[in-house]
Amino acid sequence: MPRPYILYGWHLSYFTGKAMCYLRYKQTTFVQKPVDMLTLLWRIKNKTGAAVMPVLVTPQGAWINDTSQIIDHIEAQATGTSVHPATPVQRFASYLMEAWGDEWWVPMAMHTRWTYPENFTLFEREAGDALLPWWPGFAKKSAVKVVANTLRGMLHAVGVRPSQLGVMDAWMAEMLDVLDRHFAEHLFLFGDRPMLGDFGLVGAMYGHLGRDPWPARELVAPRPHLRAWIERMSAPEHAQLPAGSQGLLPNDQIAPTLQPVFQAITREFLPLLEGILAQVQSVRPQWPEGKPLPRRLADVAVPMGQGQFSRAALPYSLWMAQRTLDVFRGMSASDQAQVRQWLTELGGERLLALDLPRLRMHGVRVAFDIPTAPVNGS
């Protein structure tokens, strides 16, 4: 019998939720293991270069620490139903939704977790039991305090600042209402099957908004269709389509109920990418070859709903944009024209014009890709 995959991660973790829901949907044989202190600070860091979660260990012994690359790895095995739509607009939109879910929602998830003290009891219990499973309670609390202080130390950088909480709350209320209305009509983002975009979005919704006591009660419970989608995403039974289902929406459609989401992406997320790109381009001429870029740069100010939002620029976000644009560049001319038309109608065609430097992953950071020298003069 082949060895199973191993997924190291906590249910509390933003990106563990994304990976876990995906593996369950694909009916991948895997064992989920909590991350103890030794695994986090020694084994994972040794294997991937960073103390992060989740990490997927393949049956062949490879350690993969990025959820997008985890999904790419499993998809390449060509088993089960693909999470990539076959038609161009839905396919591109799904990748764009993954980038938005991965990058834009992190401040919202951090805010809903750390602004409300009642959430800490769950965090302290689950993180303590995972970090030091056989240790006494006082030792667990000490270990959790270190982790919690580290995470709280990131709040300002991701934009969770007292002056911005009102803007964030208003934006979340509006966007969660949009999603609730969408899921009242559709099981998933693009029809009756979850696609890559669903897994990008569920990171924030499963581990943070859907499990932490305050957001689960105040934000998710009043929106029953959103709650039902989170439950479908985390349950392996959703691998089975309902009787009579057509799968995805026909004719490469994007549901009208998602129009406000993609308008928000072009109005808010695209300026964030442009602001990050401007900073990365400014440091590029003097940056040492092969050296990873900093995890974060200076602040970027962008629209958020009816207000403004500032947060540190994360170069990694450009890797997610590169991933999305690579899908577009791999399409035929006619398919590209359909995607371009869709983006133009949204006011987001300039996404395709982003002049991104080629980036490669380096742990949890990115570095400028070094072109390979030509061989034999070719």
Side-chain angles (χ1 to χ4, degrees):
M1 174 181 260
R3 294 170 57 191
Y5 287 91
I6 297 172
L7 181 69
Y8 286 105
W10 299 348
H11 285 279
L12 291 164
S13 158
Y14 191 109
F15 289 104
T16 298
K18 175 185 175 183
M20 182 198 71
C21 290
Y22 169 79
L23 293 171
R24 287 180 175 178
Y25 171 67
K26 294 293 288 190
Q27 299 182 331
T28 301
T29 302
F30 75 100
V31 176
Q32 185 164 354
K33 293 188 177 182
V35 180
D36 59 33
M37 190 76 80
L38 180 64
T39 299
L40 180 64
L41 299 180
W42 184 69
R43 296 184 70 200
I44 290 177
K45 191 171 184 179
N46 238 17
K47 295 288 187 177
T48 70
V52 294
M53 66 179 83
V55 172
L56 184 73
V57 183
T58 72
Q60 295 75 34
W63 291 60
I64 309 172
N65 71 281
D66 181 86
T67 53
S68 296
Q69 293 183 329
I70 287 171
I71 291 173
D72 288 348
H73 170 81
I74 300 296
E75 288 296 304
Q77 311 308 307
T79 58
T81 305
S82 173
V83 298
H84 301 306
T87 52
V89 173
Q90 289 180 349
R91 188 180 186 89
F92 184 85
S94 184
Y95 272 89
L96 185 57
M97 283 289 295
E98 183 203 23
W100 184 64
D102 274 15
E103 302 301 301
W104 183 263
W105 278 87
V106 168
M108 317 307 159
M110 294 284 282
H111 163 41
T112 59
R113 171 162 292 172
W114 296 107
T115 301
Y116 302 97
E118 70 179 274
N119 297 324
F120 190 67
T121 300
L122 174 65
F123 185 90
E124 184 178 58
R125 182 177 70 248
E126 292 195 4
D129 288 345
L131 285 169
L132 297 173
W134 308 113
W135 290 59
F138 75 88
K140 292 180 180 182
K141 288 183 178 181
S142 296
V144 170
K145 186 176 180 180
V146 172
V147 174
N149 287 342
T150 299
L151 293 170
R152 289 190 181 107
M154 299 176 183
L155 292 176
H156 184 84
V158 301
V160 183
R161 307 169 186 180
S163 62
Q164 300 191 143
L165 299 186
V167 170
M168 296 173 72
D169 286 338
W171 183 90
M172 269 195 298
E174 180 180 354
M175 196 54 56
L176 293 175
D177 282 344
V178 168
L179 291 169
D180 191 59
R181 288 192 292 270
H182 174 78
F183 293 126
E185 298 184 22
H186 305 281
L187 293 177
F188 299 99
L189 290 174
F190 300 100
D192 289 340
R193 288 206 318 262
M195 293 288 107
L196 178 67
D198 291 274
F199 296 106
L201 184 60
V202 84
M205 302 297 171
Y206 174 79
H208 286 248
L209 274 70
R211 292 186 83 245
D212 288 348
W214 187 90
R217 182 184 68 245
E218 301 295 331
L219 299 179
V220 176
R223 298 172 171 91
H225 307 294
L226 175 64
R227 173 78 262 173
W229 171 80
I230 296 171
E231 291 170 356
R232 286 192 295 273
M233 289 296 295
S234 61
E237 307 87 73
H238 70 207
Q240 303 302 317
L241 295 181
S245 169
Q246 300 300 308
L248 304 186
L249 295 178
N251 304 317
D252 204 17
Q253 295 177 60
I254 303 296
T257 44
L258 282 184
Q259 185 84 350
V261 172
F262 286 108
Q263 288 173 337
I265 289 174
T266 58
R267 186 175 61 247
E268 301 162 351
F269 184 49
L270 179 51
L272 177 65
L273 296 175
E274 292 170 330
I276 297 169
L277 176 59
Q279 292 195 36
V280 168
Q281 293 287 35
S282 71
V283 304
R284 188 179 186 185
Q286 67 270 20
W287 199 255
E289 187 175 277
K291 181 181 178 181
L293 287 159
R295 186 82 183 269
R296 56 180 182 252
L297 299 172
D299 271 6
V300 177
V302 298
M304 177 178 282
Q306 302 304 309
Q308 288 286 116
F309 179 72
S310 295
R311 61 163 296 171
L314 301 184
Y316 173 87
S317 298
L318 297 185
W319 186 86
M320 291 298 296
Q322 171 181 280
R323 170 178 169 81
T324 303
L325 292 176
D326 282 349
V327 172
F328 174 80
R329 293 173 185 133
M331 293 179 180
S332 67
S334 61
D335 285 353
Q336 287 184 351
Q338 293 180 55
V339 172
R340 187 179 297 277
Q341 179 181 349
W342 175 68
L343 283 172
T344 300
E345 291 169 356
L346 289 170
E349 186 183 4
R350 70 184 192 277
L351 172 62
L352 302 178
L354 286 178
D355 186 18
L356 300 177
R358 197 72 196 168
L359 299 171
R360 57 182 172 81
M361 293 288 300
H362 192 284
V364 293
R365 297 193 286 171
V366 294
F368 296 117
D369 204 6
I370 303 171
T372 304
V375 178
N376 296 329
S378 59

